[in-house]
Amino acid sequence: MRNIDDYYPVNGRVVLHIDMNAFYCSVHEAEEPQKYRNKPTAVAGSVELRKGVIVTCSYAARARGIRTGMTVREGLRKYPKLILIAPDFHLYRRYSKAFMDIAYRYTPLLQATSIDECYLDITGSRQFGTPLEIAHEIQSRIAAELGLPCSIGIAPNKLLAKMASDMKKPKGITVLRLRDVPSLLWDKPCSELFGIGRKTGEKLKKMGIYTLGQLAATDEQVLSERFGVMGLWMKQAAHGIDESPVREEREKNKSIGHTTTLPRDVTDLEDVKRIMLNLADQVARRLRRQQLMAQTVQITIRTPDMKTITRSQTLGNVTEQADDIYREACELYLRHWNKGKPIRLLGITLQNLVPRESSALQLDLFDYEQQPKKESLTKTMDLLRDKFGEDAILTAGMLSDDPSALIRNYKIRGTSLQTDFLRENREE
């Protein structure tokens, strides 16, 4: 069995490119599946006037000859039953942030290049598994939590990761290594290389350079004289070489949230508590990872008929602790939800976020003596998860019939190595 380090280059990078499939149409399908699932849909402006241009279309529509860039009139002539949807960019931004929040859990090195795609540098993300395992997990979570399909490319750089994500759509995962470039890319037209484009491809054709293999073999001086610095880049890119870094460009989150679509409808209060405890644990960990504190807790509840309600409460003090978040989430649930009504989805979102270093943490009069011990324990648990993965520790309440009674107890998975790690890293 291979060691996980075997999957990561010693002196190189591992980059993922996530590309959401038919993003706008997929978002509408996720919002109203009974109306749009597996239907030929297209998002277009000026739908009523029939003068708009199709911005994107579903794969069901593509199978009927509809293409992005067509006018609405052309699309309807091609397929009269095409379902036209007016764009809702507020909705798209919300889903964009949600899928990037999922990706961000696996590395802080996330570079968004548009509303529906981003790069991740996961070179330092061994604790989450192999690159292929990470890609599958991200893809599965985006599908399960948001109802959206995506394709992911895995490569040693951004250029090849982008090329790889385009190879299998929808819902594909493709690994593209440097040694694969000659066999997989060199027979393709130059215009298919990301960054070249149609016009440059035509100029290359006039020089007798038709394929990426021919471009890779062309003398560097010839390309430099014709295209300047761009010519040198094209030569390198044809060989699959790209040194550009994944630049972390995410703004500080205005909120941190996590939702889970349940495998079956839930009605029992104890089941709800276990789920809330798990959600509180996850959002609190993300909060601490970003060195933030939260003052407002919001819960999200969705019913089997897709009706969604949100309720929030602002706390007296800022917090980063899972038990504070869990306690407030449960109180919101009991206050605003009738017991016994079925639930399809649950979520917790933290709002009113402030940097940890600038927040004055007001300790409860009866809790201040325990606070340093609690912070020390939390720090140790985070260190343990960073080293051994998210599943290294479970809050015991997730396994118990009484989650609230066991919220600060933990079940530690694994070996004595983890015990030694705890001993070495705990604060005296």
Side-chain angles (χ1 to χ4, degrees):
M1 184 175 179
R2 296 178 67 185
N3 187 285
I4 193 168
D5 289 336
D6 296 338
Y7 293 91
Y8 289 84
V10 176
N11 296 311
R13 297 182 295 158
V14 181
V15 177
L16 303 186
H17 181 259
I18 302 175
D19 191 355
M20 305 305 293
N21 302 148
F23 182 58
Y24 296 166
C25 289
S26 296
V27 166
H28 288 287
E29 184 174 319
E31 281 287 295
E32 300 181 86
Q34 71 283 0
K35 190 174 180 180
Y36 296 125
R37 179 168 291 163
N38 299 322
K39 300 287 181 62
T41 62
V43 171
S46 302
V47 172
E48 293 81 6
L49 300 176
R50 302 293 191 264
K51 295 178 182 177
V53 173
I54 292 175
V55 178
T56 190
C57 53
S58 67
Y59 284 90
R62 296 177 197 189
R64 292 165 171 82
I66 308 301
R67 295 289 179 267
T68 298
M70 277 184 176
T71 64
V72 170
R73 190 183 300 277
E74 289 174 315
L76 290 172
R77 189 161 53 238
K78 193 86 173 177
Y79 187 70
K81 294 182 180 180
L82 180 66
I83 301 171
L84 298 171
I85 306 172
D88 183 345
F89 291 100
H90 175 74
L91 183 65
Y92 307 149
R93 283 191 290 271
R94 182 156 59 85
Y95 271 84
S96 176
K97 181 182 181 302
F99 93 77
M100 290 189 195
D101 280 344
I102 291 172
Y104 191 70
R105 293 202 64 196
Y106 296 84
T107 174
L109 293 176
L110 181 151
Q111 180 180 353
T113 54
S114 71
I115 197 170
D116 63 346
E117 59 183 301
C118 64
Y119 293 101
L120 304 176
D121 188 327
I122 61 165
T123 310
S125 301
R126 290 173 176 82
Q127 70 269 30
F128 296 111
T130 67
L132 198 57
E133 288 170 341
I134 292 172
H136 276 293
E137 188 169 326
I138 291 174
Q139 186 185 64
S140 297
R141 288 191 57 188
I142 291 174
E145 296 174 26
L146 304 177
L148 299 179
C150 69
S151 296
I152 301 179
I154 307 171
N157 57 52
K158 290 164 67 176
L159 172 69
L160 293 183
K162 169 67 176 176
M163 298 286 289
S165 67
D166 285 335
M167 289 181 172
K168 295 177 185 175
K169 287 188 174 182
K171 304 178 185 178
I173 294 179
T174 304
V175 179
L176 183 56
R177 299 158 294 195
L178 276 172
R179 64 175 180 267
D180 300 325
V181 169
S183 61
L184 295 181
L185 298 183
W186 278 4
D187 64 339
K188 298 185 180 299
C190 295
S191 59
E192 290 196 19
L193 182 68
F194 179 67
I196 285 186
R198 184 179 57 81
K199 289 185 178 180
T200 304
E202 291 299 323
K203 292 177 182 178
L204 289 168
K205 283 182 182 179
K206 291 178 181 178
M207 298 172 62
I209 303 170
Y210 296 92
T211 67
L212 289 175
Q214 291 173 325
L215 179 60
T218 302
D219 185 83
E220 192 174 276
Q221 185 69 26
V222 173
L223 293 171
S224 181
E225 289 175 357
R226 180 66 179 83
F227 297 100
V229 176
M230 178 68 173
L232 302 180
W233 174 84
M234 286 192 295
K235 170 83 172 179
Q236 285 191 319
H239 283 278
I241 298 170
D242 173 28
E243 302 295 336
S244 61
V246 175
R247 299 187 183 279
E248 184 181 356
E249 295 178 348
R250 282 173 62 90
E251 298 178 357
K252 284 291 185 183
N253 282 340
K254 295 181 180 179
S255 65
I256 290 176
H258 187 74
T259 61
T260 182
T261 300
L262 307 173
R264 58 178 175 79
D265 293 345
V266 169
T267 57
D268 186 75
L269 177 60
E270 296 309 316
D271 288 337
V272 170
K273 285 184 176 181
R274 270 189 286 273
I275 296 161
M276 288 293 196
L277 181 55
N278 187 22
L279 291 168
D281 185 62
Q282 293 189 56
V283 293
R285 178 150 160 72
R286 288 169 58 195
L287 191 72
R288 295 191 296 271
R289 186 180 290 153
Q290 296 184 46
Q291 296 291 302
L292 296 170
M293 307 281 277
Q295 191 165 13
T296 299
V297 176
Q298 175 184 284
I299 64 168
T300 300
I301 301 172
R302 183 172 296 165
T303 61
D305 59 359
M306 303 303 289
K307 291 182 180 178
T308 302
I309 72 159
T310 58
R311 296 291 184 270
S312 63
Q313 178 66 45
T314 297
L315 310 176
N317 300 322
V318 293
T319 186
E320 61 179 6
Q321 298 295 333
D323 50 356
D324 295 333
I325 297 164
Y326 166 77
R327 190 179 305 111
E328 191 58 45
C330 287
E331 287 179 7
L332 283 166
Y333 174 85
L334 291 171
R335 202 154 59 231
H336 297 288
W337 192 252
N338 294 329
K339 292 181 182 179
K341 290 182 64 177
I343 298 170
R344 181 178 188 268
L345 173 147
L346 281 171
I348 294 178
T349 301
L350 307 179
Q351 300 169 333
N352 288 338
L353 307 185
V354 294
R356 192 182 197 281
E357 64 270 17
S358 64
S359 63
L361 182 59
Q362 302 174 15
L363 302 181
D364 185 272
L365 179 64
F366 301 103
D367 193 44
Y368 75 97
E369 291 182 346
Q370 296 299 319
Q371 191 69 21
K373 295 179 182 179
K374 182 186 291 188
E375 290 181 356
S376 177
L377 175 62
T378 300
K379 182 178 179 181
T380 302
M381 297 302 123
D382 285 345
L383 285 169
L384 186 58
R385 281 170 165 172
D386 287 341
K387 188 168 182 67
F388 296 105
E390 294 301 310
D391 290 334
I393 301 172
L394 294 176
T395 51
M398 298 172 195
L399 309 174
S400 165
D401 289 333
D402 185 9
S404 58
L406 295 169
I407 190 164
R408 297 309 303 175
N409 297 319
Y410 290 87
K411 175 180 175 62
I412 301 176
R413 292 179 169 177
T415 65
S416 60
L417 175 65
Q418 293 171 322
T419 305
D420 293 339
F421 179 82
L422 277 172
R423 189 180 299 117
E424 292 167 7
N425 287 276
R426 69 169 179 258
E427 293 182 353
E428 297 298 327

